[in-house]
Amino acid sequence: MGNQASSVVPPPSSHYQSRILPESFFTRYTQHSSDAYSSTSIVFRSSDEQYFSLRKKDIDAHAGALIPSTWNSRSLAAELPEASTTLRTLFAFIRARNHPTLLNESFESVAEIAKAAEKYKVFSAINICAERMRSFGDRHPKLVLLYAAHNDHHHIFDECAPRVITSEKLESIVPLLPEYLRLPWLRYHARWSNALTNIISYSYSSDLSDVWKNTNCWESCGRLVFQVLEAGVHSLNDPSWIFADRVSGHTGSCSQCKQLCFAWKTYTQTQIDGVGAFTETCLDCESAAEGQS
């Protein structure tokens, strides 16, 4: 089945939003290094030519890679490629004051701040950014998954993986993943494909399989379900839509089909749960170690 194309797939979640950042937004970055500086403060200039001054002792305490390697004590300002809106929020995590909660920031803003926090190793910002990115996982699962993949937030990756595997084509995800996650992602897809095979076989192996001998039941229920399952693992993003909403016009009056679809939906959810968390079932110790290196 795989990702076989089909015109009949469950409608996307009302929360799911289309891409608003480039697919390459979250990638690994070249780390900056910090030498010993005599300055008590350092001035940074944003891409839109705004200036910020930070005490060096605060930078040393809160950031591991903020000062560009090209900067020296004779430089007027350290040039950073981020916009002032991003740096202003990021630097609030470095100064001695209450840190931002990011609760009222848009996804785009949080993503920019999170990327910069990871890039410059602003330790006090990383966890808050990660949790805010996690909160957007149902609306922007692909981008949040890529953020988690490139920054080793495995718990966030695990939460987004089922949404992404059932909504995105393999070829649109695999090239964007870190190399050590590509083979495990194929393993993960294979586990979903195996679950789908079991789900398709269920109605014929159950005690209610004779229900399809009724032409009306097949045309009004069985055929509609199988049309969706033909979409491959993408069909599994919403079992309730397949086995309840899509066939409600028939199951409302046919007790046999209602019973079969309810049992089928329960079995489907069991198979999906059996796929397991990505990092527990598909990411071996060697791959995990490679990702940490």
Side-chain angles (χ1 to χ4, degrees), residues 198-214 216-226 229 239-240 242-244 247-248 250-269:
N198 294 337
I199 291 165
I200 290 173
S201 303
Y202 173 78
S203 72
Y204 291 107
S205 60
S206 73
D207 294 336
L208 298 175
S209 59
D210 286 347
V211 72
W212 302 142
K213 293 179 181 179
N214 183 307
N216 185 47
C217 290
W218 169 253
E219 290 295 330
S220 303
C221 185
R223 185 175 60 83
L224 298 183
V225 171
F226 280 104
L229 296 178
S240 293
I242 304 173
F243 301 107
V247 295
S248 60
H250 177 74
T251 56
S253 58
C254 178
S255 59
Q256 276 193 316
C257 283
K258 182 176 182 179
Q259 183 180 356
L260 171 59
C261 286
F262 178 80
W264 204 353
K265 176 179 175 293
T266 301
Y267 179 79
T268 295
Q269 192 59 57

Side-chain angles (χ1 to χ4, degrees), residues 76-263:
L76 293 176
E79 305 279 351
L80 298 180
E82 289 76 22
S84 59
T85 52
T86 298
L87 294 179
R88 185 174 292 108
T89 302
L90 183 69
F91 290 166
F93 287 94
I94 295 176
R95 295 189 174 100
R97 61 179 63 176
N98 289 336
H99 295 162
T101 62
L102 306 182
L103 292 176
N104 297 318
E105 299 286 347
S106 66
F107 172 71
E108 296 92 330
S109 296
V110 172
E112 294 284 358
I113 297 165
K115 181 179 180 180
E118 299 281 356
K119 176 181 179 182
Y120 298 126
K121 296 190 179 300
V122 181
F123 310 115
S124 53
I126 287 175
N127 285 341
I128 291 178
C129 288
E131 287 308 303
R132 290 299 297 135
M133 288 295 288
R134 179 186 183 187
S135 72
F136 287 104
D138 59 340
R139 285 164 284 178
H140 306 286
K142 181 178 180 179
L143 286 172
V144 175
L145 178 135
L146 292 175
Y147 157 79
H150 286 281
N151 297 293
D152 299 320
H153 296 296
H154 290 166
H155 66 296
I156 300 177
F157 192 100
D158 281 345
E159 288 186 7
C160 292
R163 302 181 187 119
V164 174
I165 202 76
T166 58
S167 61
E168 300 287 343
K169 294 181 178 180
L170 274 174
E171 58 267 29
S172 75
I173 290 294
V174 172
L176 302 176
L177 293 173
E179 187 172 352
Y180 81 98
L181 288 179
R182 293 175 184 175
L183 179 57
W185 188 257
L186 295 178
R187 295 183 192 134
Y188 187 60
H189 184 273
R191 290 179 67 87
W192 278 85
S193 295
N194 183 64
L196 177 63
T197 299
N198 294 337
I199 291 165
I200 290 173
S201 303
Y202 173 78
S203 72
Y204 291 107
S205 60
S206 73
D207 294 336
L208 298 175
S209 59
D210 286 347
V211 72
W212 302 142
K213 293 179 181 179
N214 183 307
T215 302
N216 185 47
C217 290
W218 169 253
E219 290 295 330
S220 303
C221 185
R223 185 175 60 83
L224 298 183
V225 171
F226 280 104
Q227 279 181 339
V228 179
L229 296 178
E230 286 176 356
V233 298
H234 287 178
S235 66
L236 302 181
N237 61 23
D238 187 359
S240 293
W241 183 82
I242 304 173
F243 301 107
D245 298 346
R246 182 164 170 78
V247 295
S248 60
H250 177 74
T251 56
S253 58
C254 178
S255 59
Q256 276 193 316
C257 283
K258 182 176 182 179
Q259 183 180 356
L260 171 59
C261 286
F262 178 80

